[in-house]
Short mmCIF file of all heavy atoms in Angstrom, two decimals:
data_model
loop_
_atom_site.label_atom_id
_atom_site.label_comp_id
_atom_site.label_asym_id
_atom_site.label_seq_id
_atom_site.Cartn_x
_atom_site.Cartn_y
_atom_site.Cartn_z
N THR Z 99 -10.40 38.88 -23.81
CA THR Z 99 -9.94 37.67 -23.22
C THR Z 99 -8.82 37.02 -23.90
O THR Z 99 -8.49 37.37 -24.97
CB THR Z 99 -11.19 36.64 -23.26
OG1 THR Z 99 -11.50 36.42 -24.60
CG2 THR Z 99 -12.38 37.09 -22.40
N LEU Z 100 -8.15 36.09 -23.30
CA LEU Z 100 -6.95 35.46 -23.77
C LEU Z 100 -7.33 34.74 -25.05
O LEU Z 100 -8.17 34.00 -25.13
CB LEU Z 100 -6.38 34.46 -22.76
CG LEU Z 100 -5.02 33.93 -23.08
CD1 LEU Z 100 -4.02 34.91 -23.00
CD2 LEU Z 100 -4.82 32.76 -22.07
N ALA Z 101 -6.46 35.08 -26.13
CA ALA Z 101 -6.85 34.48 -27.46
C ALA Z 101 -6.19 33.14 -27.66
O ALA Z 101 -5.50 32.96 -28.63
CB ALA Z 101 -6.40 35.56 -28.53
N ILE Z 102 -6.46 32.18 -26.71
CA ILE Z 102 -6.04 30.79 -27.00
C ILE Z 102 -7.21 29.98 -26.69
O ILE Z 102 -8.18 30.34 -25.89
CB ILE Z 102 -4.89 30.42 -26.05
CG1 ILE Z 102 -5.21 30.48 -24.59
CG2 ILE Z 102 -3.65 31.26 -26.36
CD1 ILE Z 102 -4.33 29.88 -23.63
N PRO Z 103 -7.35 28.76 -27.37
CA PRO Z 103 -8.43 27.84 -27.11
C PRO Z 103 -8.34 27.41 -25.53
O PRO Z 103 -7.33 27.18 -24.88
CB PRO Z 103 -8.09 26.62 -27.91
CG PRO Z 103 -7.21 27.11 -28.98
CD PRO Z 103 -6.46 28.32 -28.37
N SER Z 104 -9.52 27.25 -24.95
CA SER Z 104 -9.54 27.05 -23.55
C SER Z 104 -10.76 26.12 -23.15
O SER Z 104 -10.99 26.05 -21.95
CB SER Z 104 -9.70 28.37 -22.77
OG SER Z 104 -10.82 29.01 -23.03
N GLY Z 105 -11.35 25.41 -24.04
CA GLY Z 105 -12.43 24.54 -23.77
C GLY Z 105 -11.97 23.11 -23.52
O GLY Z 105 -10.69 22.84 -23.42
N PHE Z 106 -12.94 22.29 -23.48
CA PHE Z 106 -12.65 20.85 -23.24
C PHE Z 106 -11.69 20.33 -24.32
O PHE Z 106 -10.78 19.61 -24.07
CB PHE Z 106 -14.04 20.06 -23.26
CG PHE Z 106 -13.87 18.57 -23.28
CD1 PHE Z 106 -13.63 17.91 -22.01
CD2 PHE Z 106 -13.96 17.76 -24.44
CE1 PHE Z 106 -13.45 16.50 -21.97
CE2 PHE Z 106 -13.82 16.45 -24.32
CZ PHE Z 106 -13.61 15.81 -23.20
N ARG Z 107 -12.05 20.48 -25.64
CA ARG Z 107 -11.32 20.08 -26.70
C ARG Z 107 -9.87 20.56 -26.65
O ARG Z 107 -8.90 19.84 -26.96
CB ARG Z 107 -11.88 20.42 -27.98
CG ARG Z 107 -11.15 19.76 -29.20
CD ARG Z 107 -11.91 20.04 -30.49
NE ARG Z 107 -12.05 21.43 -30.85
CZ ARG Z 107 -12.59 21.85 -32.00
NH1 ARG Z 107 -13.21 21.03 -32.86
NH2 ARG Z 107 -12.67 23.19 -32.18
N ALA Z 108 -9.67 21.81 -26.25
CA ALA Z 108 -8.30 22.40 -26.20
C ALA Z 108 -7.49 21.67 -25.16
O ALA Z 108 -6.29 21.32 -25.26
CB ALA Z 108 -8.37 23.92 -25.83
N GLY Z 109 -8.04 21.42 -23.96
CA GLY Z 109 -7.43 20.57 -22.85
C GLY Z 109 -7.06 19.16 -23.34
O GLY Z 109 -5.94 18.73 -23.11
N LEU Z 110 -7.94 18.63 -24.11
CA LEU Z 110 -7.74 17.21 -24.62
C LEU Z 110 -6.55 17.20 -25.56
O LEU Z 110 -5.62 16.42 -25.42
CB LEU Z 110 -9.00 16.74 -25.23
CG LEU Z 110 -9.08 15.26 -25.70
CD1 LEU Z 110 -9.15 14.45 -24.47
CD2 LEU Z 110 -10.31 14.95 -26.50
N ILE Z 111 -6.52 18.15 -26.54
CA ILE Z 111 -5.42 18.23 -27.44
C ILE Z 111 -4.19 18.59 -26.71
O ILE Z 111 -3.07 17.97 -27.04
CB ILE Z 111 -5.72 19.22 -28.60
CG1 ILE Z 111 -7.00 18.86 -29.36
CG2 ILE Z 111 -4.63 19.42 -29.52
CD1 ILE Z 111 -7.40 19.86 -30.38
N LEU Z 112 -4.14 19.41 -25.83
CA LEU Z 112 -2.92 19.97 -25.19
C LEU Z 112 -2.19 18.76 -24.58
O LEU Z 112 -0.99 18.53 -24.70
CB LEU Z 112 -3.27 20.96 -24.09
CG LEU Z 112 -2.00 21.61 -23.39
CD1 LEU Z 112 -1.03 22.15 -24.28
CD2 LEU Z 112 -2.51 22.64 -22.39
N ASN Z 113 -2.91 18.01 -23.76
CA ASN Z 113 -2.26 16.91 -23.09
C ASN Z 113 -2.10 15.55 -23.96
O ASN Z 113 -1.14 14.81 -23.73
CB ASN Z 113 -2.93 16.47 -21.71
CG ASN Z 113 -2.43 17.28 -20.59
OD1 ASN Z 113 -1.42 17.93 -20.65
ND2 ASN Z 113 -3.15 17.19 -19.51
N LEU Z 114 -2.90 15.42 -24.91
CA LEU Z 114 -2.71 14.23 -25.90
C LEU Z 114 -1.50 14.59 -26.68
O LEU Z 114 -0.80 13.62 -27.20
CB LEU Z 114 -3.93 14.01 -26.70
CG LEU Z 114 -5.17 13.37 -26.11
CD1 LEU Z 114 -6.21 13.20 -27.09
CD2 LEU Z 114 -4.69 11.95 -25.62
N SER Z 115 -1.15 15.76 -27.06
CA SER Z 115 -0.04 16.15 -27.83
C SER Z 115 1.25 16.17 -27.17
O SER Z 115 2.33 16.52 -27.66
CB SER Z 115 -0.25 17.52 -28.50
OG SER Z 115 -0.35 18.48 -27.66
N ASN Z 116 1.26 15.84 -25.89
CA ASN Z 116 2.49 15.85 -25.04
C ASN Z 116 2.94 14.42 -24.81
O ASN Z 116 2.46 13.78 -23.90
CB ASN Z 116 2.22 16.57 -23.74
CG ASN Z 116 3.48 16.63 -22.81
OD1 ASN Z 116 4.62 16.39 -23.33
ND2 ASN Z 116 3.28 17.07 -21.71
N PRO Z 117 4.01 13.91 -25.48
CA PRO Z 117 4.47 12.57 -25.39
C PRO Z 117 5.19 12.29 -24.07
O PRO Z 117 5.40 11.29 -23.59
CB PRO Z 117 5.53 12.44 -26.53
CG PRO Z 117 5.99 13.91 -26.82
CD PRO Z 117 4.83 14.73 -26.63
N LYS Z 118 5.55 13.43 -23.34
CA LYS Z 118 6.26 13.29 -22.10
C LYS Z 118 5.21 12.67 -21.08
O LYS Z 118 5.65 12.09 -20.06
CB LYS Z 118 6.78 14.56 -21.50
CG LYS Z 118 7.97 15.11 -22.39
CD LYS Z 118 8.51 16.42 -21.89
CE LYS Z 118 9.78 16.85 -22.69
NZ LYS Z 118 10.26 18.18 -22.15
N ALA Z 119 3.88 12.91 -21.29
CA ALA Z 119 2.95 12.36 -20.37
C ALA Z 119 3.02 10.84 -20.21
O ALA Z 119 2.88 10.35 -19.15
CB ALA Z 119 1.59 12.82 -20.78
N VAL Z 120 3.13 10.18 -21.33
CA VAL Z 120 3.28 8.76 -21.26
C VAL Z 120 4.41 8.18 -20.49
O VAL Z 120 4.42 7.21 -19.80
CB VAL Z 120 3.09 7.98 -22.63
CG1 VAL Z 120 4.45 8.17 -23.39
CG2 VAL Z 120 2.74 6.56 -22.46
#
Side-chain angles (χ1 to χ4, degrees):
T99 57
L100 189 67
I102 63 171
S104 61
F106 172 82
R107 185 173 63 177
L110 193 65
I111 295 173
L112 179 58
N113 270 348
L114 282 179
S115 64
N116 184 7
K118 293 182 179 180
V120 71

